[in-house]
Amino acid sequence: MITETPDLECCTLSKSFDSFKAVRDVSLSVPQGTFFSILGPSGCGKTTLLRMIAGFQKPTSGDLLIKGKSVLDVPPNKRPVSMVFQHLALFPMMNIGANVGFGLRQRGVNKTDIEKQVTRVLERVGLGGVADRPVSSLSGGQKQRVAIARCMVLEPDVLLLDEPLGALDLKLREHMKIELKQLQSEFNTTFVYITHDQSEALVMSDQIAVMNNGEFEQTGTAKELYYEPSTAFVAGFVGEANRFSATIKNRSGDGLQMATAQGQELRGMDASGGLAIGDKVDVFVRPEAVRLSRKEQDISGLGNSGQGKVENVLFNGANSQLILRDQQTGAEMSVALPQTGEFRDLSRGDLIHFRWEHQQTRVYAATGGRNGD
Ligand code: ATP
């Protein structure tokens, strides 16, 4: 079987600054034409990893391959990669065409060919006929497209994007998420996109690597990360989740029976395997998994239930978020509430029963490990 060489491979790539390991043994393989995002909180090592791929930072150990060839000894300007920076780095004194043609001029391409290629790439990003205009005449979204055109005219194997939507206002950011994904499909080029914003990564990416403390915690599709997070960090970082600390009291197959410090009984599934009676655990349930009812319900010892007082109703257009205070434990619960349906009129102070199934409850070893460790 012939398998296509990935556009980008990192093989146990690490970067230390003195004794501090900013990136630890990161391995990844990105097939051609993939929108690959690296998602993680501030300081987790995303930029350092991107800068190593671009060639601006030398790895301490490991290898880096583009189209199957190591590029460790290749200087940044000779690597088949291009980079869109957060603040785009467009040249304000040059017109749009000169900005887009900049890299081609550096490469010594002749003027006629530069004009042809600039015209073609500007048309592909939906900015035909603007080459003579100043950069200052563009909107924020159009500037993004010029920044991408300036990279794509160089026909890189891999386009690196360093939080390019970070400086935009919310509405434009929402729009540009869709536009960026469309541009990536249109060019069919491998994009490696770093962000701390999970909604950006979830919407645009074919594959996402979740990074924490310099390491990849999990790589998968948006759905895999959301529905089957393999670590507590991923469960908490990707999407909204209610989180409880508990101790395991009993185990049957993958099913766990737990108790919180406040004495609440919980039931859930061992999400990463190997949990045992006595382990301290983090228990996660998504807000949309929690169901409400006016009456107390018999859930036959399989689920989780309680009664909550409505503390807040956060209206958010199509959905609302209900904040409940569990009357037995005092724990706060977030519940996603569709606008249509019988509970849309709930208001602060109302009492309501809630429940969720054990299959929708994912359990992980708590940070700090087993009791007594
Ligand atoms: P952000 O989203 O805030 O940009 P990040 O995930 O991109 O964060 P990095 O910029 O890669 O994180 O930084 C990772 C860690 O490495 C941080 O603790 C940072 O202080 C450290 N670091 C980065 N560059 C250097 C450097 N040149 N010298 C020393 N430490 C550095």
Side-chain angles (χ1 to χ4, degrees):
M1 193 175 74
I2 300 167
T3 49
E4 208 179 318
T5 308
D7 266 1
L8 173 69
E9 289 164 276
C10 296
C11 314
T12 56
L13 203 63
S14 296
K15 177 69 190 176
S16 298
F17 297 107
D18 299 322
S19 61
F20 175 69
K21 265 199 158 185
V23 174
R24 303 156 183 259
D25 297 326
V26 161
S27 292
L28 62 81
S29 174
V30 186
Q32 200 283 323
T34 305
F35 197 123
F36 188 93
S37 291
I38 299 166
L39 169 68
S42 181
C44 73
K46 306 180 292 293
T47 306
T48 305
L49 177 57
L50 206 71
R51 287 172 59 78
M52 285 194 281
I53 299 169
F56 302 137
Q57 198 83 259
K58 200 172 159 48
T60 310
S61 61
D63 204 355
L64 189 63
L65 280 66
I66 295 177
K67 289 228 181 283
K69 290 204 181 98
S70 176
V71 291
L72 285 186
D73 296 327
V74 181
N77 60 346
K78 294 277 192 289
R79 291 190 186 189
V81 301
S82 199
M83 187 149 164
V84 178
F85 295 92
Q86 179 166 16
H87 295 289
L88 307 183
L90 297 176
F91 306 116
M93 306 307 287
M94 294 181 193
N95 68 22
I96 293 163
N99 263 281
V100 174
F102 180 79
L104 295 175
R105 277 199 306 284
Q106 300 283 94
R107 284 184 181 175
V109 177
N110 72 58
K111 207 168 164 232
T112 318
D113 283 347
I114 292 177
E115 262 173 37
K116 268 194 216 148
Q117 290 179 49
V118 167
T119 305
R120 198 163 52 223
V121 79
L122 280 173
E123 272 165 12
R124 285 185 82 181
V125 301
L127 288 173
V130 304
D132 294 332
R133 280 175 38 189
V135 168
S136 57
S137 69
L138 297 172
S139 69
Q142 289 170 325
K143 282 184 186 150
Q144 296 275 331
R145 285 191 257 157
V146 169
I148 288 172
R150 187 173 63 174
C151 293
M152 294 313 298
V153 79
L154 300 172
E155 300 182 342
D157 288 331
V158 179
L159 182 66
L160 307 173
L161 301 105
D162 182 1
E163 308 223 28
L165 308 187
L168 304 180
D169 66 54
L170 182 65
K171 190 136 193 228
L172 185 54
R173 214 159 58 222
E174 292 300 314
H175 175 73
M176 284 307 295
K177 281 183 206 168
I178 300 162
E179 199 159 280
L180 261 182
K181 177 66 194 155
Q182 277 168 350
L183 282 173
Q184 187 266 336
S185 308
E186 148 83 15
F187 283 104
N188 192 29
T189 297
T190 301
F191 276 26
V192 176
Y193 184 92
I194 66 168
T195 181
H196 63 272
D197 181 333
Q198 43 127 344
S199 72
E200 283 179 14
L202 292 179
V203 167
M204 294 190 285
S205 317
D206 300 311
Q207 287 278 310
I208 305 168
V210 179
M211 196 169 184
N212 182 30
N213 282 331
E215 291 176 306
F216 279 1
E217 293 251 342
Q218 185 177 1
T219 303
T221 63
K223 281 187 182 162
E224 283 164 354
L225 297 178
Y226 189 82
Y227 291 112
E228 293 162 41
S230 62
T231 68
F233 178 81
V234 177
F237 194 73
V238 177
E240 297 291 318
N242 292 295
R243 179 180 191 149
F244 309 94
S245 298
T247 304
I248 299 179
K249 297 294 174 196
N250 221 331
R251 176 172 187 128
S252 166
D254 280 343
L256 301 170
Q257 202 179 332
M258 297 151 290
T260 67
Q262 296 80 21
Q264 183 189 19
E265 280 212 359
L266 293 172
R267 286 165 197 271
M269 308 300 289
D270 184 348
S272 50
L275 293 172
I277 293 171
D279 283 358
K280 291 201 164 171
V281 287
D282 288 327
V283 183
F284 289 85
V285 61
R286 299 279 182 209
E288 66 272 22
V290 182
R291 301 269 172 266
L292 301 177
S293 61
R294 305 270 177 206
K295 290 194 202 123
E296 194 166 0
Q297 292 198 350
D298 176 16
I299 46 173
S300 312
L302 280 176
N304 303 278
S305 63
Q307 190 183 34
K309 185 183 259 188
V310 177
E311 293 236 312
N312 224 330
V313 185
L314 308 171
F315 178 73
N316 184 22
N319 291 294
S320 286
Q321 186 191 359
L322 202 64
I323 307 296
L324 293 182
R325 180 75 56 193
D326 186 319
Q327 292 301 277
Q328 186 200 347
T329 64
E332 194 178 271
M333 299 273 307
S334 168
V335 182
L337 200 61
Q339 276 319 306
T340 51
E342 63 169 307
F343 299 107
R344 67 181 189 276
D345 295 331
L346 281 174
S347 59
R348 193 178 296 194
D350 288 347
L351 285 172
I352 193 82
H353 292 279
F354 62 83
R355 68 186 167 85
W356 73 89
E357 305 298 328
H358 70 298
Q359 294 98 330
Q360 290 175 301
T361 314
R362 296 181 68 86
V363 185
Y364 305 86
T367 323
R370 295 184 175 190
N371 282 349
D373 276 3

